[in-house]
Amino acid sequence: MLASNPLIQVTPGLMVWTIVCFAITYFVLKRYAFGPIQKLIDDRRERIQNSLDEADHAREEARNLLEQHRQLIGQAKGQAEEILGDARRVADAQRERVREETEEDRQRRLEETRRQIEQATHQALGQIRNEVGKLSLAAAEKITRKSLTDADQQRLIDEALAEIDFSALEGSRS
């Protein structure tokens, strides 16, 4: 039954012509189609590989740039902290200098004030002595009911002043 089907029957002439046609087709395809197609595939494979290599190179370069960027940021932060530290030290030094100058000025003014107080006290004591002398003289005139000469007045003033204890007045101011 198999032999009755013409598609399965072996015919030697047809077989030879089929092989010859196949060989010619194979030769033409190999010479004019397979070579150029294979060349296009190889070229495309090479371009893809080059693109992948370039992408790897670009990725590596981007990583390097990112690392450099991070290092620069770290250095900038370090420098910023250093600058802030320097500024704080300068501010502290200026604050201390101003405090010392203020304290020196306060001490100087305090000494000046003490000196002025002592000077005013001495002037006041001098004025008190003069007033006491004049009052003593006036009292002595009234007591003696006579007018004294200038020399007598001076002598009485000096005696009255010698009798008055001014150290008690000076001690009370301290």
Side-chain angles (χ1 to χ4, degrees):
M1 281 211 177
L2 285 175
S4 64
N5 190 349
L7 290 175
I8 339 181
Q9 287 180 351
V10 176
T11 314
L14 182 61
M15 196 186 237
V16 170
W17 283 110
T18 302
I19 291 175
V20 169
C21 284
F22 177 75
I24 291 171
T25 306
Y26 180 76
F27 175 75
V28 168
L29 285 176
K30 184 171 177 147
R31 175 137 184 144
Y32 298 107
F34 292 152
I37 290 174
Q38 187 64 41
K39 187 175 185 282
L40 286 174
I41 290 172
D42 290 342
D43 289 345
R44 183 167 181 192
R45 183 179 300 132
E46 189 177 321
R47 282 194 312 267
I48 290 172
Q49 187 62 40
N50 288 340
S51 295
L52 289 174
D53 291 343
E54 287 176 10
D56 287 341
H57 179 69
R59 186 177 313 122
E60 187 63 31
E61 192 175 315
R63 283 184 189 145
N64 290 340
L65 289 174
L66 180 61
E67 184 61 31
Q68 288 175 357
H69 179 69
R70 286 181 180 158
Q71 289 175 352
L72 287 174
I73 288 176
Q75 289 174 353
K77 285 181 181 178
Q79 289 173 349
E81 288 297 323
E82 187 177 313
I83 289 170
L84 285 174
D86 289 345
R88 285 184 188 115
R89 282 190 293 280
V90 167
D92 290 343
Q94 286 180 345
R95 193 175 309 118
E96 183 64 24
R97 183 181 52 81
V98 166
R99 188 190 63 76
E100 289 172 359
E101 288 175 357
T102 303
E103 181 63 23
E104 288 173 4
D105 187 50
R106 186 184 71 81
Q107 288 296 332
R108 185 182 50 78
R109 288 184 183 193
L110 187 63
E111 289 299 319
E112 178 67 22
T113 303
R114 283 184 187 145
R115 189 183 56 76
Q116 289 174 353
I117 289 172
E118 285 177 12
Q119 199 174 36
T121 302
H122 286 294
Q123 283 179 344
L125 286 175
Q127 288 175 350
I128 289 173
R129 284 179 185 154
N130 287 335
E131 290 297 319
V132 166
K134 288 178 184 178
L135 287 174
S136 297
L137 185 60
E141 264 184 35
K142 286 185 182 186
I143 290 174
T144 60
R145 292 278 181 204
K146 69 175 194 177
S147 195
L148 298 175
T149 65
D150 286 338
D152 289 336
Q153 288 179 0
Q154 186 63 39
R155 183 181 49 78
L156 286 175
I157 288 173
D158 290 338
E159 287 174 5
L161 288 176
E163 291 174 6
I164 296 176
D165 185 17
F166 285 104
S167 62
L169 290 175
E170 288 181 1
S172 67
R173 70 178 168 99
S174 295

